[in-house]
């Protein structure tokens, strides 16, 4: 009989909160239980990192903070109303997920605008349950610059250094996805504990500013971190719709460069709020392309249930498959959560 770890799939980057927010603002509740949970179950996902704080060029920092608080409130209400789901804020809660049959939700940030200009807010969001955070989206904020500004040699700001150090003190995992190259290097030099990239690929396989260089991959691996394979089409192939072979090509390279302990899943699906997300991507400073067709057969959370099949076909053994599906993320979360 397999252990819980062997069947524990982790999605390190979920944007489903946008769907929850849309429904809640319209007066409708239960999207997590009626829409997301069935997809998670079908995909074999037992833990999802849901981003509840994000940057946007068309909002102020205070608007970003208000939106983050609103999202956190909505997610907590949806979780409380569903017996099959629980928040994961501590190592004990993580182990409860492993031992039981609930799906865990770990709160994360995708951009630090909601911190405004006060490092004290880091501890407030930690109290509210945030356990992982990326510093930027694509542009510059008070903390650092995103990959849309990869030509800049600016790393973290002084405020950004304070934020990263406070995250380390509290045990909030640093996510370097979306950071500029200079930002990644600076963040790695300041951070304590594991550093991850929740939804990023290898630039050597697909040359895109949102993907990681081999040097960055090795640096994250050396810190005991994990890189979540991103299924977004532009980060897999810039000329055609990708397929499962492109996912395997990325995994092979990440493992060749950083070892099998550095790989996980961070698919970055957008199907839950596709129209809104596409409009945002088309106006971004990062080239996301214009065709948002995900790899054939891997277009939604429910499709993650096919991952073991393509990994076996690629020649991966059971131990490596376990690590990719969730074992590596579990290692990092166990180390970081108090």
């Amino acid at each position: 009989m397999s252990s819980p770890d062997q069947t524990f799939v982790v999605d390190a980057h979920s944007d489903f909160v946008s769907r929850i927010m849309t429904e809640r603002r319209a007066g409708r509740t239960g999207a997590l239980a009626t829409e997301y949970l069935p997809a998670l179950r079908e995909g074999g996902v037992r833990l999802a990192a849901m981003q509840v704080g994000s940057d946007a060029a068309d909002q102020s920092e205070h608007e970003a903070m208000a939106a983050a608080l609103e999202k956190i409130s909505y997610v907590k209400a949806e979780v409380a109303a569903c017996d099959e789901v629980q928040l994961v804020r501590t190592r004990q809660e993580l182990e409860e997920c492993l031992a039981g049959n609930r799906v865990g939700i770990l709160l994360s940030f995708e951009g630090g605008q909601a911190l405004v200009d006060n490092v004290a807010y880091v501890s407030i969001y930690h109290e509210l349950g945030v356990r992982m955070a990326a510093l930027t989206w694509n542009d510059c904020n008070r903390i650092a610059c995103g990959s849309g500004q990869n030509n800049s040699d600016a790393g973290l700001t002084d405020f950004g250094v304070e934020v990263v150090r406070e995250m380390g003190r509290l045990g909030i995992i640093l996510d370097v996805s979306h950071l500029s190259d200079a930002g990644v290097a600076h963040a790695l030099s300041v951070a304590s504990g594991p550093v991850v990239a929740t939804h990023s690929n290898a630039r050597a396989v697909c040359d895109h500013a949102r993907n990681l260089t081999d040097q960055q991959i090795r640096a994250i691996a050396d810190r005991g971190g994990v890189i979540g394979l991103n299924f977004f089409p532009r980060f897999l192939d810039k000329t055609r719709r990708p397929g499962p072979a492109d996912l395997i090509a990325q995994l092979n390279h990440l493992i060749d460069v950083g070892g099998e302990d550095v790989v996980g899943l961070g698919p970055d699906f957008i199907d839950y709020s596709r129209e809104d997300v596409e409009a945002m991507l088309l106006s971004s400073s990062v080239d996301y392309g214009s065709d948002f067709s995900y790899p054939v057969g891997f277009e939604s959370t429910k499709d993650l249930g096919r991952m073991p099949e393509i990994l076996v076909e690629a020649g991966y053994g059971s131990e490596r498959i376990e690590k990719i599906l969730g074992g590596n993320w579990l290692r990092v979360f166990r180390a970081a959560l108090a």
Side-chain angles (χ1 to χ4, degrees):
M1 182 179 294
S2 62
S3 69
D5 283 21
Q6 290 175 309
T7 57
F8 205 98
V9 178
V10 176
D11 178 348
H13 184 78
S14 168
D15 287 308
F16 188 77
V17 70
S18 58
R19 176 67 175 167
I20 292 174
M21 195 170 191
T22 297
E23 291 295 286
R24 283 267 171 171
R25 284 180 169 179
R28 296 184 292 267
T29 63
L32 188 149
T34 61
E35 297 181 40
Y36 196 37
L37 181 61
L40 291 166
R41 292 294 195 198
E42 188 172 347
V45 179
R46 294 286 309 285
L47 179 63
M50 188 177 293
Q51 71 85 2
V52 291
S54 57
D55 290 7
D58 62 350
Q59 69 179 1
S60 69
E61 291 164 332
H62 287 281
E63 288 171 334
M65 180 169 64
L69 295 174
E70 185 179 8
K71 289 175 182 177
I72 292 169
S73 175
Y74 289 158
V75 171
K76 287 189 171 185
E78 294 273 321
V79 169
C82 183
D83 291 339
E84 294 184 60
V85 182
Q86 73 174 86
L87 285 180
V88 171
R89 295 155 296 193
T90 66
R91 192 178 303 120
Q92 179 178 340
E93 289 171 341
L94 175 62
E95 298 305 332
E96 288 172 0
C97 270
L98 284 167
N101 194 39
R102 287 186 172 184
V103 174
I105 301 293
L106 184 143
L107 303 184
S108 66
F109 268 18
E110 187 180 21
Q113 261 189 322
L115 295 174
V116 191
D117 60 356
N118 194 331
V119 74
Y121 293 163
V122 178
S123 63
I124 293 174
Y125 287 116
H126 182 268
E127 285 291 320
L128 293 173
V130 174
R131 293 296 181 268
M132 186 160 63
L135 305 179
T136 65
W137 194 47
N138 296 320
D139 299 311
C140 298
N141 59 21
R142 290 182 186 267
I143 299 171
C145 283
S147 56
Q149 310 296 324
N150 244 2
N151 57 347
S152 170
D153 59 0
L156 306 183
T157 63
D158 291 344
F159 176 58
V161 171
E162 286 186 80
V163 166
V164 170
R165 287 177 175 161
E166 182 68 355
M167 286 170 57
R169 185 184 73 83
L170 293 168
I172 297 176
I173 301 165
L174 173 62
D175 175 10
V176 298
S177 291
H178 284 286
L179 271 178
S180 67
D181 288 345
V184 172
H186 196 177
L188 284 163
S189 73
V190 173
S192 57
V195 176
V196 304
T198 56
H199 55 305
S200 296
N201 292 337
R203 199 177 298 177
V205 178
C206 181
D207 187 10
H208 194 286
R210 265 286 285 112
N211 288 338
L212 300 168
T213 67
D214 285 358
Q215 181 179 4
Q216 291 166 344
I217 293 166
R218 280 189 288 269
I220 291 170
D222 289 344
R223 296 289 294 269
V226 178
I227 297 164
L229 176 68
N230 195 324
F231 291 32
F232 190 81
R234 195 68 163 180
F235 307 152
L236 292 168
D237 192 284
K238 296 170 72 173
T239 61
R240 57 171 175 80
R241 182 180 185 179
D246 297 287
L247 298 174
I248 296 300
Q250 282 287 345
L251 285 174
N252 285 341
H253 187 82
L254 290 168
I255 291 170
D256 287 345
V257 174
E260 64 182 27
D261 292 337
V262 82
V263 287
L265 302 180
D268 200 7
F269 294 123
I270 65 171
D271 56 307
Y272 301 108
S273 300
R274 194 174 187 91
E275 290 185 8
D276 291 341
V277 175
E278 286 184 3
M280 184 172 59
L281 296 179
L282 288 169
S283 63
S284 170
S285 59
V286 167
D287 176 16
Y288 285 100
S290 57
D291 182 356
F292 305 119
S293 299
Y294 275 62
V296 178
F298 293 91
E299 302 168 62
S300 177
T301 301
K302 62 182 176 60
D303 298 326
L304 292 177
R306 299 192 184 102
M307 281 303 295
E309 179 183 348
I310 71 164
L311 295 174
V312 169
E313 290 176 353
Y316 290 176
S318 59
E319 183 177 350
R320 179 170 287 184
I321 291 172
E322 177 189 336
K323 289 181 177 183
I324 293 169
L325 294 181
N328 286 333
W329 282 120
L330 289 178
R331 185 193 74 246
V332 170
F333 295 151
R334 279 173 165 146
L337 298 176

